[in-house]
Amino acid sequence: MAPRCWRWWYWTAWPRTRPPPAGCTLSVRQQFSTQEQMPQICVVGSGPAGFYTAQHLLKHHPRAHVDIFEKQLVPFGLVRFGVAPDHPEVKSYGAEDHQALGIPGEELPGVFSARAFVGWYNGLPENRELAPDLSCDTAVILGQGNVALDVARILLTPPEHLEKTDITEAALGVLRQSRVKTVWIVGRRGPLQVAFTIKELREMIQLPGTRPILDPADFLGLQDRIKEVPRPRKRLTELLLRTATEKPGAEEAARQASASRTWGLRFFRSPQQVLPSPDGRQVAGIRLAVTRLEGVGDTTRAVPTGDVEDLPCGLVLSSVGYKSRPIDHSVPFDPKLGVIPNMEGRVVDVPGLYCSGWVKRGPTGVIATTMTDSFLTGQMLLQDLKAGLLPSGPRPGYVAIEALLSSRGVRPVSFSDWEKLDAEEVSRGQGTGKPREKLLDPQEMLRLLGR
């Protein structure tokens, strides 16, 4: 199939009467010279970073013309394909790749990145054939951030609780047949260094049909240490401490006693090797190096003690971080940090090119963070435009892109095309009470569009 792009005349969708977003300092009344009055601006990527950048440009420049291009046949990026179908308000990743573990056995069947697993149950076309085998008893998730907890929650949530979300029917079918009863969430450091937040932890603790497993020994001496940490971290650690050490009340004890599934946090463990089954055709466990902490505060790091522990499992999900990919040889890229080198969004040594989102600052933060970050990038662009620092003269904009696509045999999918696909998804979801049933196959999408 020839590559395709998605395009939207963005300015038709945002009302000009809305007030400027908080934190934006560039006035909509700012005057632009004749040369600056109709800038042609291209945004690559239709996720939150792209949309928020375009929003800022259009709110603060009365005649800006913005085209958004997207490699998928559908728009909205992580808002559509983000982490948790049961948490549509906090979907939170935006880089295209994951951090490899770099350990033996990582290539074994049954080992997946959390990013690919999330893409599978959220209907990302490139992950629709993932086919994870959930016939095992135990799954291990490497990493202790919100993504790890989200994935654990999806694995353990009773499928009937997911039926009214936009999780794909294919994924729901696999989850209904799942035999996973125990999920271990493994981190190389301790309780004071976990990266998840209290909301996600509280939801895991209260997850129907499950009970938590925390080793009280991991929390020895922590009561005095948490007095000095910032309040959000203190509240989070206190909840962990109570869960690990306090005897639950009668009602909670009864709920846990009837639980058929368990999940646990394993601290001070670092993945060393994925262990194969006897025939070498499947993951059978993971070897973990036992660690201890050195340093204090932000310099705390986990170092091996020399001891190891083998943890049997039939599924390993790596959630140790995300990274962006390089775009093109003409665009500078830092492979170590996974970002485009930039100064406040201005790409270094490439006038007229800007970046926002995780490719700008690295894989941290959620949608609200990206919103502020993207507004700042838009602000820098408009400041440079007003200062005469951008290439001047008439720009053909999409007209030139359209001719280029035509010469390459590419037929772009328009926003009106997306609206047809959107209506089809909503219609398919209505029969089962879901907000939508996502289309997964690009070829089916094109057939529905008469291609």
Side-chain angles (χ1 to χ4, degrees), residues 10-318:
Y10 187 89
W11 56 268
T12 62
W14 290 91
R16 299 290 176 81
T17 56
R18 292 171 59 184
C24 297
T25 59
L26 191 65
S27 170
V28 292
R29 297 183 179 88
Q30 190 159 0
Q31 297 299 309
F32 292 89
S33 68
T34 302
Q35 191 179 64
E36 305 158 359
Q37 280 185 358
M38 295 188 65
Q40 298 277 353
I41 302 169
C42 172
V43 173
V44 179
S46 69
F51 271 89
Y52 282 127
T53 301
Q55 178 188 16
H56 185 88
L57 294 171
L58 294 165
K59 279 190 172 183
H60 295 276
H61 195 301
R63 301 186 69 185
H65 196 127
V66 180
D67 291 311
I68 304 179
F69 292 87
E70 167 62 49
K71 72 173 184 177
Q72 301 287 344
L73 274 74
V74 293
F76 307 136
L78 68 84
V79 174
R80 178 179 172 92
F81 300 119
V83 172
D86 58 339
H87 281 186
E89 75 286 0
V90 291
K91 295 188 173 189
S92 56
Y93 77 84
E96 287 193 275
D97 213 342
H98 68 282
Q99 295 284 1
L101 294 171
I103 61 174
E106 187 174 6
E107 74 290 342
L108 282 170
V111 180
F112 304 97
S113 71
R115 188 193 188 285
F117 191 73
V118 166
W120 167 70
Y121 63 65
N122 273 323
L124 187 61
E126 65 191 61
N127 298 130
R128 71 184 189 280
E129 305 294 343
L130 196 70
D133 183 357
L134 304 186
S135 63
C136 60
D137 177 79
T138 302
V140 169
I141 302 172
L142 301 173
Q144 292 184 336
N146 279 341
V147 174
L149 259 61
D150 282 332
V151 170
R153 191 179 68 254
I154 294 298
L155 282 170
L156 295 176
T157 295
E160 60 270 21
H161 291 204
L162 298 172
E163 290 175 349
K164 303 307 180 184
T165 73
D166 67 356
I167 191 171
T168 69
E169 189 58 39
L172 196 55
V174 173
L175 290 169
R176 288 191 182 107
Q177 301 300 317
S178 172
R179 298 180 184 176
V180 175
K181 300 298 182 185
T182 302
V183 176
W184 290 108
I185 306 164
V186 178
R188 57 191 173 87
R189 297 192 291 175
L192 276 176
Q193 290 80 36
V194 295
F196 50 73
T197 52
I198 193 168
K199 178 180 182 295
E200 281 66 32
L201 174 62
R202 188 178 292 115
E203 188 167 4
M204 280 298 298
I205 293 171
Q206 298 170 352
L207 189 65
T210 71
R211 63 181 178 87
I213 304 174
L214 283 80
D215 186 351
D218 290 333
F219 297 84
L220 293 176
L222 212 58
Q223 187 69 59
D224 292 332
R225 294 171 60 193
I226 61 177
K227 296 176 181 178
E228 303 174 0
V229 301
R231 186 171 182 272
R233 173 68 64 179
K234 180 181 179 181
R235 292 177 60 240
L236 171 63
T237 311
E238 286 175 340
L239 178 57
L240 284 169
L241 186 62
R242 289 196 302 271
T243 305
T245 61
E246 293 184 2
K247 185 177 180 180
E251 183 177 344
E252 178 63 14
R255 187 189 73 82
Q256 292 188 14
S258 64
S260 60
R261 298 181 176 186
T262 60
W263 64 273
L265 294 168
R266 301 297 290 268
F267 298 107
F268 309 109
R269 300 292 187 273
S270 180
Q272 193 175 68
Q273 179 184 354
V274 179
L275 304 174
S277 58
D279 61 8
R281 300 174 62 180
Q282 180 70 26
V283 58
I286 187 161
R287 179 160 295 162
L288 302 169
V290 180
T291 64
R292 58 182 173 82
L293 297 184
E294 287 187 353
V296 295
D298 294 338
T299 65
T300 301
R301 62 190 186 97
V303 297
T305 64
D307 295 331
V308 297
E309 173 185 273
D310 290 349
L311 187 59
C313 62
L315 178 69
V316 174
L317 297 171
S318 170

Side-chain angles (χ1 to χ4, degrees), residues 340-353:
I340 294 175
N342 70 93
M343 297 293 291
E344 298 182 304
R346 302 176 176 99
V347 176
V348 173
D349 297 329
V350 189
L353 190 61

